[in-house]
Amino acid sequence: MNFNKSLLKFLISCFVMTLSLGVQAQSLVVSDFSEDFKEEDKFYYTDWTNFSVECAQEIIKEGGFTPILEFYDKTGEKYLYSLLEKNPPVPNGGIDISKPMILHFMAGDYELPVVWYEFGFGCWFDSNIYQSNRQIMSASGKSFLKHLFTNNCDFYYLKLSPVSAPNIIYKIGPFAK
């Protein structure tokens, strides 16, 4: 009992000291939505009535979806990398971000619609988040991915709805400098 009181006092002291030092959590959120975006689209993937029976069975059979990033290297060769697997480095000068980068959500042979997603990374006190509904990434989306994949943080994620659990993703690199 005495130990619990001491522990509580210690934790409160640490919290007060942290606040007095001016340490604050920071979140940088970049929103990049096309004109046809609607707020209810954020919850598309949490409503199973959006999918046909065959598509739902494929999602269950595959254990979910696989986010595939389509991109090109400096010589113009096309690549399709799963963000759920460790991938080899991109040869021929790395990823050319001046060329299209397209996000695909696959469940077996079904390509699911890109309606809303969130890429992010973060450490204890800060995080960076990119929210979009663009399948073909805009310049700001490609810039965020470049920053994401060249960052030293250990936790990168992709979410398909604000209330869903994050899917841990692997970075692709090296990006062309």
Side-chain angles (χ1 to χ4, degrees), residues 88-107:
V90 181
N92 304 322
I95 296 172
D96 185 351
I97 61 171
S98 67
K99 292 194 168 78
M101 293 179 77
I102 304 170
L103 190 60
H104 303 277
F105 296 138
M106 302 298 296

Side-chain angles (χ1 to χ4, degrees), residues 1-2 7 9 15 23 28-29 32-33 49-50 56 58 60 71 77 83 109 114 123 133 140 142 151 158 167 171:
M1 185 72 170
N2 227 0
L7 180 61
K9 286 180 184 180
F15 179 71
V23 177
L28 171 66
V29 179
D32 187 21
F33 296 107
T49 60
N50 291 324
E58 194 67 26
I60 292 167
F71 59 89
E77 188 174 339
L83 296 177
D109 292 333
V114 175
C123 299
N133 70 332
S140 64
K142 291 190 266 187
N151 191 294
L158 171 69
N167 294 290
K171 57 181 167 176

Side-chain angles (χ1 to χ4, degrees), residues 88-162:
V90 181
N92 304 322
I95 296 172
D96 185 351
I97 61 171
S98 67
K99 292 194 168 78
M101 293 179 77
I102 304 170
L103 190 60
H104 303 277
F105 296 138
M106 302 298 296
D109 292 333
Y110 283 89
E111 182 162 3
L112 307 171
V114 175
V115 180
W116 182 92
Y117 60 90
E118 176 181 292
F119 279 114
F121 67 96
C123 299
W124 189 41
F125 274 118
D126 58 43
S127 61
N128 288 294
I129 296 167
Y130 173 78
Q131 297 177 349
S132 180
N133 70 332
R134 296 176 187 269
Q135 181 176 20
I136 300 174
M137 295 192 152
S138 66
S140 64
K142 291 190 266 187
S143 176
F144 185 87
L145 276 185
K146 181 178 179 180
H147 182 62
L148 175 76
F149 292 145
T150 56
N151 191 294
N152 289 328
C153 193
D154 293 329
F155 179 72
Y156 306 94
Y157 71 86
L158 171 69
K159 289 173 77 171
L160 290 183
S161 120

Side-chain angles (χ1 to χ4, degrees), residues 29-62:
V29 179
V30 178
S31 297
D32 187 21
F33 296 107
S34 58
E35 293 176 12
D36 61 343
F37 176 70
K38 299 180 216 88
E39 277 297 310
E40 59 267 19
D41 290 343
K42 288 183 176 183
F43 302 98
Y44 180 87
Y45 278 94
T46 58
D47 182 2
W48 280 89
T49 60
N50 291 324
F51 306 107
S52 67
V53 172
E54 295 82 14
C55 185
Q57 287 173 338
E58 194 67 26
I59 293 170
I60 292 167
K61 182 179 104 184
E62 293 292 323

